[in-house]
Amino acid sequence: MRRHLVTAVAIALGLVATQAIAAQDKPTPTTKQLLAAAKPAEWRTPAPDNLLYMQLPQGRVVIELAPAFTPLHAANIRTLVRQHYFDGLAIVRVQDNFVTQWDDPNGDDGGDKAKMHPLGKAKATLPPEFTRSIDPKQPWTPLPDGDVYAPQVGFSGGFPVARDPANGKEWLVQCYGMVGVGRDVPPNSGNGSALYAIIGQAPRRLDHNLAVAGRVLQGMQYLSALPRGTGPMGFYAKASERTPIISVKLASELPPAQREKIQVLRTSSPTFTAMIDAARHGHNAFYPTPVGKLGICDIHAPVRVDGKPVSP
């Protein structure tokens, strides 16, 4: 009797192992397959007042502001844009594996301060919105694998977020494509007139030390593929090396027919949860061994334009 029981258990364990191997042999759904099955309600259309259209000679860069996390900076940036502050300024700095930064070149070392664009109605200083209080009413999609820089990480409102439940604070994470606010040493010196986009490995040491204003949704290639500056910190040594900014407008300033038909997958959606699971356990003929882990900067909310998925 005992021999039969041992045999039955061995058969059962063998069956479970076989099923596990078979499940692992089945390729994980691709992002393309998951997005193709996403329901219309899982996509959101960003508010036109939160979308910046930065026109460069190479093409258009679309940035979504994050007023839920940095409301004062979002409001100040809108004021600057409506006053055409950025029109005619330039990309002044491209530091390899770090950031692309744009602001008024006359405000940098060696510039003519008398020729700087006036701030107009925009504020010169702002309280440092490096963190905010955790809002339990906001959707929260956690990642299960932990993080080196924060007790918790996940996604909220389409943005990568880190949290510290002990002090009740959360902050936007400095991942690839995120747009931060440049500042001097004083914490309140960043007003949104100088902005940067992360173009390299996520500089997480900047987390909760600089305000993060939003994220590039489209046109990231126009920021990441620029020539690197040869001066200190990637600043361009010559004015001729800078990329001019033709204009920056809010989508709400344009007629609907001229706006990008852009949508972002909700990070609280079942499809995004499935994407997280597929990224953690993904395997196919080329990647036979699942990693089983996922970092906060290893995945982002997909974007589509005219119904077609695009890379940011």
Side-chain angles (χ1 to χ4, degrees):
M1 180 69 179
R2 182 178 300 172
R3 182 180 300 173
H4 291 306
L5 179 60
V6 171
T7 302
V9 170
I11 292 174
L13 291 175
L15 180 60
V16 170
T18 301
Q19 290 174 337
I21 293 172
Q24 184 165 319
D25 286 343
K26 184 179 180 181
T28 309
T30 65
T31 297
K32 182 178 180 180
Q33 291 170 331
L34 292 171
L35 293 180
K39 298 179 180 179
E42 294 184 275
W43 294 91
R44 64 179 178 86
T45 300
D49 218 30
N50 287 335
L51 288 181
L52 304 182
Y53 292 168
M54 181 165 67
Q55 190 64 45
L56 302 177
Q58 297 90 338
R60 175 183 280 182
V61 178
V62 180
I63 297 168
E64 182 180 15
L65 297 176
F69 290 87
T70 47
L72 299 179
H73 286 80
N76 218 43
I77 291 170
R78 291 192 198 100
T79 298
L80 291 167
V81 170
R82 292 190 179 107
Q83 296 174 168
H84 306 285
Y85 173 84
F86 293 99
D87 300 5
L89 298 187
I91 292 175
V92 299
R93 171 189 177 205
V94 181
Q95 187 170 356
D96 191 46
N97 200 32
F98 191 32
V99 301
T100 292
Q101 180 176 321
W102 56 98
D103 60 29
D104 191 332
N106 285 308
D108 298 331
D109 292 342
D112 187 347
K113 303 296 191 292
K115 295 182 179 179
M116 289 182 63
H117 282 205
L119 294 177
K121 296 181 179 180
K123 298 181 183 300
T125 60
L126 290 174
E129 296 180 300
F130 302 159
T131 66
R132 74 165 191 180
S133 296
I134 295 175
D135 185 353
K137 296 180 181 179
Q138 291 294 324
W140 171 249
T141 303
L143 291 186
D145 300 313
D147 185 72
V148 174
Y149 295 90
Q152 296 178 354
V153 289
F155 289 84
S156 182
F159 297 98
V161 178
R163 283 183 168 183
D164 187 352
N167 63 20
K169 298 295 184 180
E170 63 183 0
W171 55 93
L172 292 178
V173 175
Q174 304 263 356
C175 294
Y176 181 85
M178 296 297 283
V179 175
V181 178
R183 66 174 175 87
D184 291 325
V185 175
N188 68 345
S189 58
N191 60 13
S193 62
L195 298 171
Y196 64 85
I198 304 296
I199 63 168
Q201 294 291 328
R204 296 290 305 281
R205 65 188 182 279
L206 302 182
D207 283 6
H208 55 76
N209 282 291
L210 287 97
V212 179
R215 172 191 167 213
V216 176
L217 298 184
Q218 186 182 17
M220 190 64 194
Q221 70 272 24
Y222 303 130
L223 299 175
S224 62
L226 291 171
R228 275 42 179 166
T230 57
M233 299 176 64
F235 279 93
Y236 289 117
K238 300 177 181 178
S240 59
E241 297 176 314
R242 300 170 183 149
T243 297
I245 296 174
I246 298 172
S247 66
V248 177
K249 300 180 184 297
L250 289 165
S252 57
E253 296 180 290
L254 301 177
Q258 296 180 22
R259 300 174 189 171
E260 299 278 1
K261 294 180 175 60
I262 195 164
Q263 291 184 306
V264 184
L265 187 71
R266 298 181 187 276
T267 49
S268 58
S269 67
T271 295
F272 191 70
T273 299
M275 285 180 57
I276 291 173
D277 184 70
R280 294 178 69 233
H281 304 294
H283 61 276
N284 51 38
F286 191 81
Y287 294 104
T289 304
V291 176
K293 302 285 185 179
L294 186 67
I296 184 63
C297 293
D298 293 334
I299 191 170
H300 61 264
V303 177
R304 69 180 185 181
V305 177
D306 291 324
K308 298 178 181 179
V310 297
S311 298

